[in-house]
Amino acid sequence: MPAVVILGCGGVGRALLKQIAATKLTVAAVCDSKNALVAANGAFTAAQLSAIAEAKAAGKPLAVEGATVVPVTDSAGLAAVLKQCKEAAGGKCFVADCTASDATGPAMAEAGVAVALANKKPVTSSIDLYNKLALENPRNFRNESTVGAGLPVMAMLRRMVTSGDPISRVAGCFSGTLGFVMSGLEAGKKLSDVVAEAKSLGYTEPDPREDLSGMDVARKALIIARSMGWKLEMDDVKVEGMYPPEMGQDKMSVDEFMAALPSLDADMAGKAQAAAADGKVLRFAAVVADGKCLVGLQSVPKNTAMGALQGTDNIVEVISSCYPVSPLVIQGAGAGTETTASGVLADLLELADIHA
C-alpha cells in the first residue's frame, strides 16, 4: 500500500486528515512547519488522525502515542523524511502538500514522490522545478486544488490537452474575495465599504491587499498557462491590482490602508458606472490567451456566464477547437478548507488508482 504524507496542519491539512480517514489510503506521516510525525508501523489509525487534527487546531505540537517526532527545519530535512517513507512503502509515496511553503517543492522533487498539491508555490516558482514535478513523470502529478479548490478545472484542462483539443483562450474569476467585492460594486456599494465588509466576514486575508493585489489570481493564471504547455515565469504575468503602489504593504500598515481606501471609491464607482452604461459589469479576471497572461479589472457583458457571476463563486471559461463559440464553463465554490481538502483527496485517490 502506498504511503501518504500530509504536509501542513492548517485548515486544509486538518480537513484532509479527517476526510482521508474514511478512505482506503494509508497515512504514514504528517508534517507541520517544524516537525514530521512518523507512524511507528507505517500507518496512523483513523482515531490517531483525528487526534492529530484536533491537537493542531488547539495550537498544540505534533504528537501521538507510538509515533516518532522528527525535526524538519529545511527542504533537505523534509526530503529525507519523504525518502524514508517512500522506502518503507516499497517505493510508492504520495505527498499531499497543504502548505504555503517554498521549501516543499524542492524536497518533493528530490525525493521523487507523487504529489497532490493545494500549495501553489511549487508550480509557480521556477519553470525548472515545475518541469521536474509536473512533466518528468505526469503520472505522479496532480494539482486540482491549486486553482479552483474542488472544482475540476485542472482535470478538465489536462483531458483537453491530452486529447489534442487546442485551447485558444481561458478566462476566469478565481478569487471568491474579489468576486464578493465585484458583486458589491455592481450593487452600487462603495469599494471601501465592500472591502471592510469582506474583511469582517473573514473573506479577505488579514491584510486585504493580499487579495486586492491580484497576485493570487496571477499565480492561478500561470498554473493554467503552464498546464497548456506555455513556458512562462511569474514575471511574464501582467497584473493590475486594485490599489496604487503608494498604498502598498511597504508604504503603510493595514489600518492605514483601510483608512485610506475611501480615496479610491470615486474612481472605482466611475468604472462600475461606465461599465453599466454599456450593459457590462466589472469583474476581476484572468485571461490566458495568445501566449500572454493578463490579470486585472475587466468590463464583461452582463448576459454572459462571467457577467452573471455573483458572490464568492469562481468561474472558468474555455475556448478551444471543440468549443469555438460557446465556451466550456465550470462554476462553483472556489474556496473553503473542506472544498479544497476534497480536491486534494480526489487527487490522492486518482494517484492511488493509477499506481494500483
Side-chain angles (χ1 to χ4, degrees):
M1 177 67 70
V4 174
V5 179
I6 297 178
L7 308 183
C9 295
V12 175
R14 295 196 303 271
L16 180 59
L17 284 169
K18 294 179 180 180
Q19 292 177 9
I20 204 170
T23 72
K24 61 184 179 182
L25 298 175
T26 299
V27 178
V30 180
C31 303
D32 62 13
S33 60
K34 298 179 180 179
N35 299 297
L37 188 65
V38 182
N41 60 353
F44 288 113
T45 65
Q48 287 176 318
L49 294 176
S50 179
I52 293 169
E54 291 173 4
K56 293 307 297 182
K60 297 179 181 178
L62 275 177
V64 70
E65 186 176 353
T68 303
V69 177
V70 180
V72 176
T73 58
D74 56 20
S75 182
L78 177 58
V81 170
L82 298 181
K83 290 176 182 178
Q84 173 189 335
C85 292
K86 180 180 177 181
E87 182 178 356
K92 291 184 178 181
C93 180
F94 305 156
V95 179
D97 186 356
C98 303
T99 73
S101 171
D102 293 303
T104 58
M108 294 184 294
E110 180 183 342
V113 293
V115 301
L117 306 178
N119 183 9
K120 290 181 278 294
K121 291 185 178 178
V123 283
T124 56
S125 58
S126 73
I127 192 68
D128 289 339
L129 178 58
Y130 176 84
N131 289 342
K132 288 179 182 178
L133 290 173
L135 301 184
E136 287 186 4
N137 191 346
R139 296 174 70 250
N140 284 347
F141 177 79
R142 293 292 182 271
N143 66 322
E144 194 63 75
S145 290
T146 59
V147 173
L151 296 178
V153 175
M154 300 311 298
M156 172 194 66
L157 293 174
R158 185 171 62 251
R159 289 172 65 88
M160 294 177 76
V161 170
T162 301
S163 69
D165 181 13
I167 299 172
S168 58
R169 185 178 189 269
V170 179
C173 297
F174 301 123
S175 168
T177 300
L178 293 175
F180 181 85
V181 172
M182 294 301 105
S183 293
L185 292 175
E186 184 181 346
K189 296 180 180 179
K190 297 178 181 178
L191 174 66
S192 57
D193 290 343
V194 181
V195 173
E197 182 181 2
K199 190 173 187 294
S200 70
L201 292 171
Y203 290 165
T204 72
E205 295 294 333
D207 186 341
R209 285 170 292 191
E210 296 286 343
D211 302 287
L212 298 174
S213 70
M215 286 308 300
D216 186 60
V217 177
R219 293 185 188 99
K220 294 176 181 180
L222 179 60
I223 291 169
I224 288 172
R226 286 180 169 180
S227 76
M228 293 160 55
W230 297 6
K231 306 300 182 183
L232 300 181
E233 298 284 3
M234 196 70 235
D235 289 343
D236 297 318
V237 182
K238 183 179 180 181
V239 188
E240 294 184 5
M242 293 185 64
Y243 58 87
E246 56 267 26
M247 294 175 66
Q249 292 173 310
D250 59 337
K251 303 294 184 182
M252 58 178 64
S253 68
V254 175
D255 289 342
E256 290 170 335
F257 173 78
M258 295 302 293
L261 201 52
S263 66
L264 305 181
D265 285 346
D267 179 63
M268 197 59 63
K271 292 178 179 178
Q273 291 165 5
D278 199 26
K280 297 181 178 181
V281 291
L282 291 182
R283 294 291 179 261
F284 196 94
V287 177
V288 180
D290 301 321
K292 301 176 183 178
C293 294
L294 305 177
V295 175
L297 282 176
Q298 291 191 20
S299 295
V300 302
K302 193 171 184 178
N303 61 354
T304 61
M306 191 181 295
L309 192 69
Q310 289 292 312
T312 59
D313 272 6
N314 284 192
I315 191 170
V316 59
E317 302 176 349
V318 182
I319 296 291
S320 71
S321 179
C322 292
Y323 301 90
V325 179
S326 180
L328 176 61
V329 176
I330 293 179
Q331 178 180 339
T337 56
E338 295 291 336
T339 306
T340 303
S342 72
V344 177
L345 180 58
D347 279 349
L348 288 171
L349 291 169
E350 186 174 348
L351 289 171
D353 288 341
I354 291 171
H355 291 275

